[in-house]
Amino acid sequence: MTYEFMQQYWWFLVSLLGALLVFLMFVQGANSMIFSLGSDETERKMLINSTGRKWEFTFTTLVTFGGAFFASFPLFYSTSFGGAYWLWMIILFSFVLQAVSYEFQNKLGNIFGPRLFQWFLIFNGILGPLLLGGAVATFFNGSNFIVDKASIIDSTQLVISRWANESNGLDALLDPWNLVFGVAVFFLARMLGVLYIINNVADDPLRARGRKALLGATVPFLILFLAFLVRTLVKDGYAYDPATGVVFMEPMKYLHNLLDMWYVLIVLLIGVVLLLYAVVNTVTKEDYVKGIWPGGIGVVLVVLCLLLCAGWNNTAYYPSNADLASSLTIANSCSSEFTLRTMTYVSFIIPFVLAYIIYAWWSIDKKKIDREEMAGEDHVY
């Protein structure tokens, strides 16, 4: 395993974690529709208990995603998580608020009542996907930061990288294309949320209402995602010379990436087909309830390919609009060879962790949620 191979390998793993995180945001998508899908208190209980049994998966994946980025590409972590402070703090705050809401909405002594905490779940369901999507869009559209590695020897400078303005990351929301992708991710989360609820909650009225909501989320998602994808493929991209490390603008760089990495393009198309297959079958067939699986796999494949396109093939995955030379690449922002090699050996246990997650998921979902369970005392939330 060469140093270059391990850099590519860890970008793949980080991208896979990011793709899994987008899939698991079906929790946020379903929560954003608590009052629109749930017509009464019983249906809202079913929705909340359905997502409440999976929110730990999403939160844990978010933390693991951040940890993997920190360990493998520490300069990105210090630049983005440290520089874009307010953007990431709002994202994390919304997820913490989600955890608190699940645990306390029906606790004795809750003087605010469950409705307030349900609105907190909706807050996370809207803001979480929107801001995470906007943050990911900066991989293609750039951010305003400056990296000066020489400052580490200057006793007056405490950091290597800094944000070029006082917005601390909130300026990402001023780019309309970041917002387009963020809103697209929000509607994607709602699509996944509906597919998951249809599969996990055994209630015909709720499933019928969900199929209508699925169509209502799919149309704006396709419009926004296709607009972002086409614009990204035809615009100038951020390339770098592997021999010198110099970053430069290349016309249609991301389109070239997909054409050069034809295998990534094939996987991307397979992911799109799987997602559309899940949506079409769920909308047109009343007895089809397993759309979350082909749809979820399709989303993982599409997001994985987008992130690979952002970092592989000599591409600056975190470009700087303030100083092009400060743009981060896999080569100039990764950990040392020793660190990556050690982490690579540790990563070999990932299949066993995934096997445990699959078993835990299966154990939780052995019995579908229904009205009878909500009428008893067994429901958790």
Side-chain angles (χ1 to χ4, degrees):
M1 292 186 295
T2 64
Y3 190 27
E4 182 180 359
F5 169 80
M6 288 184 290
Q7 292 169 355
Q8 305 289 329
Y9 173 73
W10 273 99
W11 181 254
F12 172 82
L13 288 185
V14 168
S15 299
L16 181 59
L17 284 171
L20 290 172
L21 175 60
V22 173
F23 160 64
L24 290 170
M25 282 198 297
F26 67 77
V27 173
Q28 279 65 42
N31 284 344
S32 70
M33 298 182 287
I34 289 176
F35 294 118
S36 59
L37 278 184
S39 62
D40 55 38
E41 194 61 34
T42 300
E43 290 184 349
R44 286 193 284 272
K45 278 186 179 180
M46 288 192 290
L47 285 169
I48 293 171
N49 276 269
S50 178
T51 60
R53 298 174 188 182
K54 297 296 189 302
W55 73 266
E56 291 97 337
F57 289 95
T58 310
F59 196 88
T60 302
T61 304
L62 175 64
V63 174
T64 306
F65 172 71
F69 237 139
F70 169 72
S72 53
F73 301 99
L75 188 53
F76 168 80
Y77 191 88
S78 64
T79 301
S80 180
F81 288 74
Y85 177 82
W86 283 114
L87 178 62
W88 287 106
M89 284 300 295
I90 294 173
I91 292 172
L92 292 175
F93 173 75
S94 74
F95 276 88
V96 171
L97 197 62
Q98 173 207 55
V100 171
S101 299
Y102 275 121
E103 298 300 327
F104 288 96
Q105 61 179 298
N106 289 315
K107 290 289 186 182
L108 292 176
N110 174 16
I111 61 175
F112 301 105
R115 183 61 63 93
L116 176 65
F117 290 101
Q118 290 171 3
W119 277 109
F120 285 162
L121 291 177
I122 294 175
F123 173 79
N124 170 252
I126 296 174
L127 209 62
L130 177 65
L131 294 185
L132 278 172
V136 171
T138 62
F139 285 9
F140 300 95
N141 296 324
S143 297
N144 294 304
F145 62 89
I146 298 173
V147 176
D148 182 12
K149 293 184 178 181
S151 65
I152 197 170
I153 61 176
D154 186 350
S155 60
T156 63
Q157 298 289 333
L158 300 179
V159 293
I160 296 176
S161 55
R162 58 183 174 84
W163 217 248
N165 54 51
E166 299 302 322
S167 69
N168 287 31
L170 293 179
D171 53 336
L173 303 179
L174 298 179
D175 187 326
W177 286 106
N178 290 346
L179 289 177
V180 165
F181 191 72
V183 177
V185 172
F186 164 70
F187 280 113
L188 176 61
R190 288 170 74 96
M191 291 169 59
L192 292 170
V194 171
L195 290 172
Y196 174 75
I197 293 299
I198 289 175
N199 176 258
N200 190 245
V201 179
D203 187 75
D204 290 337
L206 196 57
R207 284 174 171 172
R209 209 174 296 120
R211 289 186 176 90
K212 294 180 181 179
L214 177 60
L215 188 60
T218 301
V219 173
F221 164 72
L222 289 176
I223 294 173
L224 294 169
F225 178 73
L226 288 176
F228 179 85
L229 181 62
V230 170
R231 185 258 179 180
T232 299
L233 293 179
V234 300
K235 81 180 189 73
D236 293 350
Y238 303 85
Y240 73 93
D241 185 338
T244 63
V246 175
V247 180
F248 59 94
M249 303 302 297
E250 178 182 323
M252 295 189 290
K253 169 60 176 172
Y254 301 107
L255 177 60
H256 294 162
N257 282 357
L258 286 180
L259 295 177
D260 293 341
M261 302 184 295
W262 54 268
Y263 45 89
V264 174
L265 176 59
I266 292 175
V267 174
L268 175 67
L269 295 176
I270 292 173
V272 171
V273 171
L274 285 173
L275 179 59
L276 294 178
Y277 171 84
V279 172
V280 171
N281 277 274
T282 302
V283 171
T284 59
K285 299 178 181 179
E286 293 185 2
D287 59 341
Y288 186 77
V289 298
K290 296 182 179 180
I292 185 62
W293 301 120
I297 294 172
V299 167
V300 170
L301 294 180
V302 169
V303 177
L304 172 63
C305 292
L306 288 178
L307 292 177
L308 292 180
C309 189
W312 278 2
N313 200 37
N314 303 324
T315 309
Y317 69 86
Y318 198 50
S320 172
N321 293 327
D323 176 28
L324 192 60
S326 295
S327 302
L328 302 186
T329 69
I330 292 176
N332 69 14
S333 64
C334 66
S335 294
S336 67
E337 182 175 359
F338 173 79
T339 301
L340 288 184
R341 187 175 299 276
T342 303
M343 290 167 50
T344 299
Y345 293 138
V346 174
S347 72
F348 294 157
I349 68 172
I350 289 177
F352 299 99
V353 176
L354 289 176
Y356 172 76
I357 292 173
I358 293 172
Y359 172 76
W361 189 296
W362 174 81
S363 299
I364 294 172
D365 281 0
K366 282 191 295 184
K367 182 182 181 302
K368 303 298 182 183
I369 293 175
D370 53 26
R371 292 177 183 268
E372 182 180 354
E373 181 182 349
M374 296 300 102
E377 299 296 331
D378 295 333
H379 61 87
V380 179
Y381 303 107

